[in-house]
Coordinates of all heavy atoms in Angstrom, one line a residue:
Y26 N 12.8 11.7 -1.8 CA 11.9 12.8 -2.3 C 11.1 13.5 -1.3 O 10.3 14.4 -1.6 CB 11.0 12.3 -3.4 CG 11.8 11.5 -4.5 CD1 11.7 10.2 -4.6 CD2 12.8 12.2 -5.2 CE1 12.5 9.5 -5.5 CE2 13.6 11.5 -6.1 CZ 13.4 10.1 -6.3 OH 14.2 9.5 -7.2
Y31 N 5.0 16.1 -1.2 CA 4.0 15.5 -2.1 C 2.6 15.6 -1.5 O 1.6 15.6 -2.2 CB 4.3 14.0 -2.3 CG 5.4 13.7 -3.2 CD1 6.7 13.6 -2.6 CD2 5.3 13.6 -4.5 CE1 7.8 13.3 -3.4 CE2 6.3 13.3 -5.3 CZ 7.6 13.1 -4.8 OH 8.6 12.9 -5.6
I54 N 8.6 24.8 -18.5 CA 9.1 23.5 -18.4 C 8.9 22.9 -17.0 O 9.1 21.7 -16.7 CB 10.6 23.4 -18.7 CG1 11.5 24.2 -17.8 CG2 10.9 23.7 -20.2 CD1 13.0 23.9 -17.8
D55 N 8.4 23.8 -16.1 CA 8.0 23.3 -14.7 C 6.7 22.7 -14.7 O 5.9 22.7 -15.7 CB 8.0 24.5 -13.8 CG 9.3 25.3 -13.6 OD1 10.3 24.6 -14.0 OD2 9.3 26.4 -13.2
V56 N 6.4 22.0 -13.6 CA 5.1 21.3 -13.5 C 4.5 21.8 -12.1 O 5.1 21.7 -11.1 CB 5.2 19.8 -13.5 CG1 3.8 19.1 -13.3 CG2 5.8 19.3 -14.8
Y58 N 1.6 21.2 -9.3 CA 0.7 20.2 -8.8 C -0.3 20.9 -7.8 O 0.1 21.7 -7.0 CB 1.5 19.1 -8.0 CG 2.3 18.2 -8.8 CD1 3.5 18.6 -9.3 CD2 1.8 16.9 -9.1 CE1 4.3 17.7 -10.0 CE2 2.6 16.0 -9.9 CZ 3.8 16.4 -10.3 OH 4.6 15.6 -11.1
V67 N 5.3 23.4 -7.0 CA 5.9 23.6 -8.3 C 7.2 22.8 -8.4 O 8.0 23.0 -7.5 CB 6.2 25.1 -8.7 CG1 6.8 25.2 -10.0 CG2 4.9 25.9 -8.6
R68 N 7.3 21.9 -9.4 CA 8.6 21.2 -9.5 C 9.3 21.8 -10.7 O 8.8 22.0 -11.8 CB 8.3 19.7 -9.9 CG 7.9 18.9 -8.7 CD 7.8 17.5 -9.0 NE 7.9 16.7 -7.8 CZ 8.2 15.4 -7.8 NH1 8.3 14.8 -8.9 NH2 8.3 14.8 -6.6
S69 N 10.6 22.1 -10.4 CA 11.5 22.7 -11.5 C 12.8 22.0 -11.4 O 13.2 21.4 -10.4 CB 11.6 24.2 -11.3 OG 11.9 24.6 -10.0
G70 N 13.6 22.2 -12.5 CA 14.9 21.5 -12.6 C 14.7 20.0 -12.7 O 13.6 19.5 -12.9
G71 N 15.8 19.3 -12.5 CA 15.7 17.8 -12.5 C 15.3 17.4 -13.9 O 15.3 18.1 -14.9
S72 N 14.9 16.1 -14.0 CA 14.5 15.6 -15.3 C 13.0 15.7 -15.5 O 12.2 15.9 -14.6 CB 14.9 14.1 -15.4 OG 14.2 13.4 -14.4
R73 N 12.5 15.6 -16.8 CA 11.1 15.6 -17.1 C 10.4 14.5 -16.3 O 9.3 14.6 -15.8 CB 10.9 15.4 -18.6 CG 9.5 15.2 -19.0 CD 8.5 16.3 -18.7 NE 8.8 17.5 -19.4 CZ 8.3 18.7 -19.0 NH1 7.4 18.8 -18.0 NH2 8.6 19.8 -19.6
S74 N 11.0 13.3 -16.3 CA 10.4 12.1 -15.6 C 10.2 12.5 -14.1 O 9.1 12.1 -13.5 CB 11.2 10.9 -15.8 OG 12.5 11.0 -15.3
W75 N 11.1 13.2 -13.5 CA 10.9 13.6 -12.1 C 9.8 14.6 -11.9 O 8.9 14.6 -11.1 CB 12.2 14.0 -11.4 CG 12.0 14.5 -10.0 CD1 11.9 13.8 -8.9 CD2 11.9 15.9 -9.6 NE1 11.7 14.6 -7.8 CE2 11.7 15.9 -8.2 CE3 11.9 17.1 -10.3 CZ2 11.5 17.1 -7.5 CZ3 11.8 18.3 -9.6 CH2 11.6 18.3 -8.2
R76 N 9.9 15.7 -12.8 CA 8.9 16.8 -12.7 C 7.5 16.2 -12.9 O 6.6 16.8 -12.3 CB 9.2 17.9 -13.7 CG 10.5 18.7 -13.4 CD 10.6 19.9 -14.3 NE 10.6 19.7 -15.7 CZ 11.7 19.4 -16.5 NH1 12.9 19.3 -15.9 NH2 11.5 19.2 -17.8
N77 N 7.4 15.2 -13.7 CA 6.0 14.6 -14.0 C 5.6 13.5 -13.1 O 4.6 12.9 -13.2 CB 6.0 14.1 -15.4 CG 5.9 15.3 -16.4 OD1 6.4 16.4 -16.1 ND2 5.4 15.0 -17.6
N78 N 6.5 13.1 -12.1 CA 6.2 11.9 -11.3 C 6.0 10.7 -12.2 O 5.1 9.9 -12.0 CB 5.0 12.0 -10.4 CG 5.4 12.5 -9.0 OD1 6.5 12.3 -8.5 ND2 4.5 13.3 -8.4
N79 N 6.8 10.6 -13.3 CA 6.6 9.6 -14.4 C 7.9 9.0 -14.7 O 8.5 9.3 -15.7 CB 6.0 10.4 -15.6 CG 5.6 9.5 -16.7 OD1 6.0 8.3 -16.7 ND2 4.9 10.0 -17.7
P80 N 8.4 8.1 -13.8 CA 9.7 7.5 -14.0 C 9.9 6.7 -15.3 O 11.0 6.5 -15.8 CB 9.9 6.6 -12.8 CG 8.6 6.4 -12.3 CD 7.7 7.5 -12.6
G81 N 8.8 6.4 -16.0 CA 8.9 5.7 -17.3 C 8.7 6.6 -18.5 O 8.7 6.1 -19.6
N82 N 8.5 7.9 -18.3 CA 8.2 8.8 -19.4 C 7.1 8.2 -20.3 O 7.2 8.2 -21.5 CB 9.4 9.1 -20.2 CG 10.3 10.1 -19.5 OD1 9.8 11.0 -18.8 ND2 11.6 10.0 -19.7
A93 N 2.4 17.3 -19.2 CA 3.4 18.3 -19.3 C 4.5 17.8 -20.2 O 5.0 16.6 -20.0 CB 3.9 18.7 -17.9
G94 N 5.0 18.6 -21.1 CA 6.0 18.2 -22.0 C 5.7 17.0 -22.9 O 6.6 16.3 -23.3
F96 N 4.1 14.3 -21.9 CA 4.1 13.1 -21.1 C 3.0 13.2 -20.0 O 2.7 14.3 -19.5 CB 5.5 12.8 -20.5 CG 6.5 12.5 -21.5 CD1 7.3 13.6 -22.0 CD2 6.7 11.3 -22.1 CE1 8.3 13.4 -22.9 CE2 7.7 11.0 -23.0 CZ 8.5 12.1 -23.5
A97 N 2.5 12.1 -19.5 CA 1.6 12.0 -18.4 C 2.2 12.6 -17.2 O 3.4 12.4 -17.0 CB 1.1 10.6 -18.2
V98 N 1.4 13.2 -16.3 CA 1.8 13.6 -15.0 C 1.0 12.7 -14.0 O -0.3 12.6 -14.1 CB 1.6 15.1 -14.7 CG1 1.9 15.5 -13.3 CG2 2.3 15.9 -15.7
Y102 N 5.0 9.5 -7.0 CA 6.0 8.6 -7.6 C 5.5 7.2 -7.7 O 5.6 6.5 -8.7 CB 7.3 8.6 -6.7 CG 8.2 7.5 -7.1 CD1 9.1 7.7 -8.1 CD2 8.3 6.3 -6.4 CE1 10.0 6.7 -8.5 CE2 9.2 5.3 -6.7 CZ 10.0 5.5 -7.8 OH 10.9 4.5 -8.1
I172 N 13.9 0.6 -16.4 CA 13.3 1.6 -17.3 C 13.5 3.0 -16.7 O 13.9 3.9 -17.3 CB 11.9 1.3 -17.7 CG1 11.8 0.1 -18.7 CG2 11.2 2.5 -18.3 CD1 10.4 -0.4 -18.9
Q173 N 13.2 3.1 -15.4 CA 13.3 4.4 -14.7 C 14.8 4.8 -14.7 O 15.0 6.0 -15.0 CB 12.9 4.2 -13.2 CG 13.2 5.4 -12.4 CD 12.9 5.3 -10.9 OE1 11.8 4.8 -10.6 NE2 13.8 5.7 -10.1
R174 N 15.7 3.9 -14.5 CA 17.1 4.3 -14.5 C 17.5 4.8 -15.9 O 18.2 5.8 -16.0 CB 17.9 3.1 -14.1 CG 19.4 3.3 -13.9 CD 20.0 2.1 -13.3 NE 21.4 2.2 -13.3 CZ 22.3 1.3 -12.9 NH1 21.8 0.1 -12.6 NH2 23.6 1.5 -12.9
I175 N 17.1 4.1 -16.9 CA 17.5 4.5 -18.3 C 16.8 5.8 -18.7 O 17.4 6.7 -19.3 CB 17.1 3.4 -19.3 CG1 17.9 2.1 -19.0 CG2 17.3 3.9 -20.7 CD1 17.4 0.9 -19.7
E176 N 15.6 6.0 -18.3 CA 14.9 7.3 -18.6 C 15.4 8.5 -17.9 O 15.2 9.6 -18.3 CB 13.4 7.1 -18.3 CG 12.7 6.1 -19.2 CD 12.6 6.6 -20.7 OE1 12.5 7.8 -20.9 OE2 12.5 5.7 -21.6
G177 N 16.2 8.2 -16.8 CA 16.9 9.3 -16.1 C 16.1 10.1 -15.1 O 15.7 11.3 -15.3
Y178 N 15.7 9.5 -14.0 CA 14.9 10.1 -13.0 C 15.8 10.9 -12.1 O 16.5 10.4 -11.1 CB 14.2 9.0 -12.2 CG 13.0 9.5 -11.4 CD1 11.8 9.7 -12.0 CD2 13.1 9.7 -10.0 CE1 10.7 10.2 -11.2 CE2 12.0 10.1 -9.2 CZ 10.8 10.3 -9.9 OH 9.7 10.7 -9.1
I179 N 16.0 12.2 -12.4 CA 16.9 13.1 -11.7 C 16.1 14.2 -10.9 O 15.2 14.9 -11.5 CB 17.9 13.8 -12.6 CG1 18.7 12.7 -13.4 CG2 18.8 14.8 -11.9 CD1 19.4 13.3 -14.6
V180 N 16.3 14.3 -9.6 CA 15.6 15.2 -8.7 C 16.0 16.6 -8.9 O 17.1 16.9 -9.1 CB 15.8 14.8 -7.2 CG1 15.1 15.7 -6.3 CG2 15.3 13.4 -7.0
G181 N 14.9 17.5 -9.0 CA 15.1 18.9 -9.0 C 14.7 19.6 -7.7 O 15.0 19.0 -6.7
T182 N 14.0 20.7 -7.8 CA 13.6 21.4 -6.6 C 12.0 21.5 -6.6 O 11.4 21.6 -7.7 CB 14.2 22.8 -6.5 OG1 13.8 23.6 -7.7 CG2 15.7 22.8 -6.4
E183 N 11.5 21.6 -5.4 CA 10.1 21.8 -5.2 C 9.9 23.0 -4.4 O 10.6 23.3 -3.4 CB 9.5 20.6 -4.5 CG 9.4 19.3 -5.2 CD 8.8 18.2 -4.5 OE1 8.9 18.1 -3.2 OE2 8.1 17.4 -5.1

Side-chain angles (χ1 to χ4, degrees):
Y26 308 113
Y31 286 90
I54 64 167
D55 297 342
V56 179
Y58 289 82
V67 176
R68 283 186 157 196
S69 52
S72 62
R73 170 61 63 196
S74 59
W75 175 78
R76 290 192 304 272
N77 288 26
N78 269 329
N79 184 349
N82 281 328
F96 297 93
V98 178
Y102 169 83
I172 288 171
Q173 171 183 316
R174 187 171 171 189
I175 295 164
E176 293 292 331
Y178 199 78
I179 300 167
V180 176
T182 59
E183 292 183 323

